[in-house]
Amino acid sequence: MARAVTIFVAVLLLAYLALCAALYVYQRSLIYFPQPKSWGGPATTQQLQVKDAELVLTARQSTGPKAIVYFGGNAEDVSANLPSFSEAFPGHAIYLLHYRGYGGSSGSPSEAALQSDALALFDHIGKTHAEVTVVGRSLGSGVAVWVASQRPVARLILVTPYNSIQELAAQRFPWFPISWLLVDKFESWKYAPQVTAPTLLIAAGQDEVIPAASTEKLYAQFKKGTAALKVLPGTSHNTVSQHPQYLPLFQSML
């Protein structure tokens, strides 16, 4: 009987370790869902060469000093934002980044790669635009916070932001040692205190992906007087941009 129990426990342990290994190996396929570029043509497409990849941008050019750079969600085709952004912000150049593996950009996404690419894009834009507003939605909010902690952005807008991906993953997989397994942690809370630009956090009132507590924890990390939090009622994680006050909130910052 004792031998049978030992064998049973050993089998369970091996199965658990196998699941841990699978989570580790395939974790990025659970975070990133690359999307093709569906809107625009050559006139609204640019390439940015970085050291180990060629990135695709959906863009609207402008010769003025103001620009908006946008980092999207993990399953977002950012090109679809160009028509509404162009109408809402006629005086701004607009740059929508297709992450590595998304929209024709080469390479594979990772936290380190996205951070490096985002800084390269900001530096590239900064050569021709003195006033750059950085916007990040969902996954991209972590990228945007990182950029704002490292560069003199004019303003920072975060849509459905989280405190950290690690916390969200730990809630989703409570039986696994996520802090050991997860490589791309996107710990926005670490970088928020370093942000000095005026910041707006926009939360969905009924967000089923990012808990309100996660957004509120991030909000509390910004220096007093730096950030404001607005909740759009009746919206979910994916419908927040359909609220009639969504783009007007952007405009209030610009």
Side-chain angles (χ1 to χ4, degrees), residues 92-110:
H92 288 72
I94 298 168
Y95 300 90
L96 313 172
L97 175 64
H98 296 269
Y99 300 138
R100 297 183 183 213
Y102 291 65
S105 292
S106 65
S108 299
S110 69

PDB file of all heavy atoms in Angstrom, residues 92-110:
ATOM      1  N   HIS A  92      -1.330  66.442 -35.105  1.00  0.00           N
ATOM      2  CA  HIS A  92      -0.275  65.549 -34.634  1.00  0.00           C
ATOM      3  C   HIS A  92       0.171  64.574 -35.725  1.00  0.00           C
ATOM      4  O   HIS A  92      -0.659  64.054 -36.475  1.00  0.00           O
ATOM      5  CB  HIS A  92      -0.761  64.714 -33.443  1.00  0.00           C
ATOM      6  CG  HIS A  92      -0.920  65.480 -32.167  1.00  0.00           C
ATOM      7  ND1 HIS A  92      -1.938  66.385 -31.956  1.00  0.00           N
ATOM      8  CD2 HIS A  92      -0.178  65.461 -31.023  1.00  0.00           C
ATOM      9  CE1 HIS A  92      -1.824  66.893 -30.734  1.00  0.00           C
ATOM     10  NE2 HIS A  92      -0.769  66.348 -30.156  1.00  0.00           N
ATOM     11  N   ALA A  93       1.459  64.319 -35.765  1.00  0.00           N
ATOM     12  CA  ALA A  93       1.931  63.140 -36.478  1.00  0.00           C
ATOM     13  C   ALA A  93       1.561  61.925 -35.628  1.00  0.00           C
ATOM     14  O   ALA A  93       1.549  61.997 -34.397  1.00  0.00           O
ATOM     15  CB  ALA A  93       3.441  63.209 -36.683  1.00  0.00           C
ATOM     16  N   ILE A  94       1.260  60.809 -36.280  1.00  0.00           N
ATOM     17  CA  ILE A  94       0.794  59.612 -35.564  1.00  0.00           C
ATOM     18  C   ILE A  94       1.652  58.431 -35.989  1.00  0.00           C
ATOM     19  O   ILE A  94       1.842  58.182 -37.185  1.00  0.00           O
ATOM     20  CB  ILE A  94      -0.689  59.335 -35.866  1.00  0.00           C
ATOM     21  CG1 ILE A  94      -1.540  60.512 -35.382  1.00  0.00           C
ATOM     22  CG2 ILE A  94      -1.149  58.031 -35.203  1.00  0.00           C
ATOM     23  CD1 ILE A  94      -2.968  60.461 -35.883  1.00  0.00           C
ATOM     24  N   TYR A  95       2.152  57.704 -34.998  1.00  0.00           N
ATOM     25  CA  TYR A  95       2.981  56.535 -35.257  1.00  0.00           C
ATOM     26  C   TYR A  95       2.442  55.364 -34.441  1.00  0.00           C
ATOM     27  O   TYR A  95       2.451  55.394 -33.203  1.00  0.00           O
ATOM     28  CB  TYR A  95       4.439  56.807 -34.867  1.00  0.00           C
ATOM     29  CG  TYR A  95       5.069  57.945 -35.624  1.00  0.00           C
ATOM     30  CD1 TYR A  95       4.994  59.260 -35.127  1.00  0.00           C
ATOM     31  CD2 TYR A  95       5.730  57.732 -36.829  1.00  0.00           C
ATOM     32  CE1 TYR A  95       5.572  60.308 -35.820  1.00  0.00           C
ATOM     33  CE2 TYR A  95       6.313  58.778 -37.525  1.00  0.00           C
ATOM     34  CZ  TYR A  95       6.235  60.062 -37.013  1.00  0.00           C
ATOM     35  OH  TYR A  95       6.797  61.106 -37.704  1.00  0.00           O
ATOM     36  N   LEU A  96       1.973  54.339 -35.126  1.00  0.00           N
ATOM     37  CA  LEU A  96       1.404  53.154 -34.494  1.00  0.00           C
ATOM     38  C   LEU A  96       2.366  51.995 -34.737  1.00  0.00           C
ATOM     39  O   LEU A  96       2.590  51.599 -35.885  1.00  0.00           O
ATOM     40  CB  LEU A  96       0.023  52.840 -35.079  1.00  0.00           C
ATOM     41  CG  LEU A  96      -0.940  54.032 -35.202  1.00  0.00           C
ATOM     42  CD1 LEU A  96      -2.189  53.641 -35.981  1.00  0.00           C
ATOM     43  CD2 LEU A  96      -1.324  54.542 -33.824  1.00  0.00           C
ATOM     44  N   LEU A  97       2.935  51.457 -33.674  1.00  0.00           N
ATOM     45  CA  LEU A  97       3.977  50.439 -33.817  1.00  0.00           C
ATOM     46  C   LEU A  97       3.389  49.036 -33.891  1.00  0.00           C
ATOM     47  O   LEU A  97       2.615  48.626 -33.028  1.00  0.00           O
ATOM     48  CB  LEU A  97       4.938  50.504 -32.622  1.00  0.00           C
ATOM     49  CG  LEU A  97       6.008  49.400 -32.580  1.00  0.00           C
ATOM     50  CD1 LEU A  97       6.954  49.523 -33.776  1.00  0.00           C
ATOM     51  CD2 LEU A  97       6.780  49.452 -31.264  1.00  0.00           C
ATOM     52  N   HIS A  98       3.783  48.314 -34.939  1.00  0.00           N
ATOM     53  CA  HIS A  98       3.488  46.885 -35.029  1.00  0.00           C
ATOM     54  C   HIS A  98       4.649  46.145 -34.357  1.00  0.00           C
ATOM     55  O   HIS A  98       5.782  46.189 -34.858  1.00  0.00           O
ATOM     56  CB  HIS A  98       3.350  46.457 -36.493  1.00  0.00           C
ATOM     57  CG  HIS A  98       2.186  47.096 -37.192  1.00  0.00           C
ATOM     58  ND1 HIS A  98       0.937  46.531 -37.233  1.00  0.00           N
ATOM     59  CD2 HIS A  98       2.101  48.273 -37.867  1.00  0.00           C
ATOM     60  CE1 HIS A  98       0.115  47.318 -37.925  1.00  0.00           C
ATOM     61  NE2 HIS A  98       0.806  48.377 -38.306  1.00  0.00           N
ATOM     62  N   TYR A  99       4.376  45.501 -33.234  1.00  0.00           N
ATOM     63  CA  TYR A  99       5.425  44.788 -32.508  1.00  0.00           C
ATOM     64  C   TYR A  99       6.094  43.741 -33.409  1.00  0.00           C
ATOM     65  O   TYR A  99       5.563  43.347 -34.439  1.00  0.00           O
ATOM     66  CB  TYR A  99       4.843  44.057 -31.295  1.00  0.00           C
ATOM     67  CG  TYR A  99       4.164  44.933 -30.273  1.00  0.00           C
ATOM     68  CD1 TYR A  99       2.960  44.534 -29.692  1.00  0.00           C
ATOM     69  CD2 TYR A  99       4.720  46.135 -29.861  1.00  0.00           C
ATOM     70  CE1 TYR A  99       2.331  45.296 -28.738  1.00  0.00           C
ATOM     71  CE2 TYR A  99       4.104  46.917 -28.909  1.00  0.00           C
ATOM     72  CZ  TYR A  99       2.898  46.504 -28.341  1.00  0.00           C
ATOM     73  OH  TYR A  99       2.272  47.271 -27.401  1.00  0.00           O
ATOM     74  N   ARG A 100       7.229  43.266 -32.974  1.00  0.00           N
ATOM     75  CA  ARG A 100       7.897  42.176 -33.687  1.00  0.00           C
ATOM     76  C   ARG A 100       6.927  40.999 -33.871  1.00  0.00           C
ATOM     77  O   ARG A 100       6.274  40.572 -32.914  1.00  0.00           O
ATOM     78  CB  ARG A 100       9.123  41.702 -32.915  1.00  0.00           C
ATOM     79  CG  ARG A 100      10.194  42.768 -32.776  1.00  0.00           C
ATOM     80  CD  ARG A 100      11.423  42.234 -32.080  1.00  0.00           C
ATOM     81  NE  ARG A 100      12.401  43.302 -31.887  1.00  0.00           N
ATOM     82  CZ  ARG A 100      13.715  43.129 -31.906  1.00  0.00           C
ATOM     83  NH1 ARG A 100      14.220  41.928 -32.120  1.00  0.00           N
ATOM     84  NH2 ARG A 100      14.529  44.155 -31.706  1.00  0.00           N
ATOM     85  N   GLY A 101       6.847  40.528 -35.082  1.00  0.00           N
ATOM     86  CA  GLY A 101       5.940  39.436 -35.387  1.00  0.00           C
ATOM     87  C   GLY A 101       4.540  39.886 -35.747  1.00  0.00           C
ATOM     88  O   GLY A 101       3.731  39.086 -36.211  1.00  0.00           O
ATOM     89  N   TYR A 102       4.231  41.164 -35.557  1.00  0.00           N
ATOM     90  CA  TYR A 102       2.921  41.730 -35.850  1.00  0.00           C
ATOM     91  C   TYR A 102       3.007  42.580 -37.116  1.00  0.00           C
ATOM     92  O   TYR A 102       3.967  43.326 -37.321  1.00  0.00           O
ATOM     93  CB  TYR A 102       2.451  42.644 -34.720  1.00  0.00           C
ATOM     94  CG  TYR A 102       2.088  41.994 -33.407  1.00  0.00           C
ATOM     95  CD1 TYR A 102       3.041  41.339 -32.630  1.00  0.00           C
ATOM     96  CD2 TYR A 102       0.781  42.074 -32.905  1.00  0.00           C
ATOM     97  CE1 TYR A 102       2.716  40.776 -31.412  1.00  0.00           C
ATOM     98  CE2 TYR A 102       0.446  41.518 -31.680  1.00  0.00           C
ATOM     99  CZ  TYR A 102       1.418  40.867 -30.943  1.00  0.00           C
ATOM    100  OH  TYR A 102       1.088  40.314 -29.722  1.00  0.00           O
ATOM    101  N   GLY A 103       1.963  42.515 -37.934  1.00  0.00           N
ATOM    102  CA  GLY A 103       1.805  43.463 -39.034  1.00  0.00           C
ATOM    103  C   GLY A 103       2.949  43.562 -40.011  1.00  0.00           C
ATOM    104  O   GLY A 103       3.155  44.616 -40.615  1.00  0.00           O
ATOM    105  N   GLY A 104       3.731  42.514 -40.139  1.00  0.00           N
ATOM    106  CA  GLY A 104       4.850  42.542 -41.070  1.00  0.00           C
ATOM    107  C   GLY A 104       6.187  42.859 -40.444  1.00  0.00           C
ATOM    108  O   GLY A 104       7.225  42.777 -41.128  1.00  0.00           O
ATOM    109  N   SER A 105       6.223  43.226 -39.159  1.00  0.00           N
ATOM    110  CA  SER A 105       7.503  43.431 -38.480  1.00  0.00           C
ATOM    111  C   SER A 105       8.219  42.097 -38.328  1.00  0.00           C
ATOM    112  O   SER A 105       7.589  41.071 -38.048  1.00  0.00           O
ATOM    113  CB  SER A 105       7.292  44.059 -37.097  1.00  0.00           C
ATOM    114  OG  SER A 105       6.812  45.380 -37.197  1.00  0.00           O
ATOM    115  N   SER A 106       9.518  42.098 -38.492  1.00  0.00           N
ATOM    116  CA  SER A 106      10.275  40.859 -38.355  1.00  0.00           C
ATOM    117  C   SER A 106      10.559  40.564 -36.888  1.00  0.00           C
ATOM    118  O   SER A 106      10.337  41.394 -36.009  1.00  0.00           O
ATOM    119  CB  SER A 106      11.586  40.952 -39.133  1.00  0.00           C
ATOM    120  OG  SER A 106      12.432  41.954 -38.578  1.00  0.00           O
ATOM    121  N   GLY A 107      11.072  39.366 -36.624  1.00  0.00           N
ATOM    122  CA  GLY A 107      11.439  38.984 -35.270  1.00  0.00           C
ATOM    123  C   GLY A 107      10.286  38.430 -34.467  1.00  0.00           C
ATOM    124  O   GLY A 107       9.173  38.252 -34.966  1.00  0.00           O
ATOM    125  N   SER A 108      10.568  38.157 -33.197  1.00  0.00           N
ATOM    126  CA  SER A 108       9.580  37.603 -32.273  1.00  0.00           C
ATOM    127  C   SER A 108       9.460  38.517 -31.061  1.00  0.00           C
ATOM    128  O   SER A 108      10.461  39.066 -30.583  1.00  0.00           O
ATOM    129  CB  SER A 108       9.999  36.199 -31.816  1.00  0.00           C
ATOM    130  OG  SER A 108      10.085  35.317 -32.918  1.00  0.00           O
ATOM    131  N   PRO A 109       8.249  38.682 -30.523  1.00  0.00           N
ATOM    132  CA  PRO A 109       8.059  39.603 -29.403  1.00  0.00           C
ATOM    133  C   PRO A 109       8.571  39.043 -28.087  1.00  0.00           C
ATOM    134  O   PRO A 109       8.493  37.845 -27.820  1.00  0.00           O
ATOM    135  CB  PRO A 109       6.537  39.794 -29.365  1.00  0.00           C
ATOM    136  CG  PRO A 109       5.994  38.504 -29.913  1.00  0.00           C
ATOM    137  CD  PRO A 109       6.972  38.075 -30.965  1.00  0.00           C
ATOM    138  N   SER A 110       9.096  39.933 -27.282  1.00  0.00           N
ATOM    139  CA  SER A 110       9.473  39.655 -25.898  1.00  0.00           C
ATOM    140  C   SER A 110       9.476  40.989 -25.167  1.00  0.00           C
ATOM    141  O   SER A 110       9.503  42.051 -25.803  1.00  0.00           O
ATOM    142  CB  SER A 110      10.854  39.000 -25.808  1.00  0.00           C
ATOM    143  OG  SER A 110      11.868  39.925 -26.170  1.00  0.00           O
TER     144      SER A 110
END
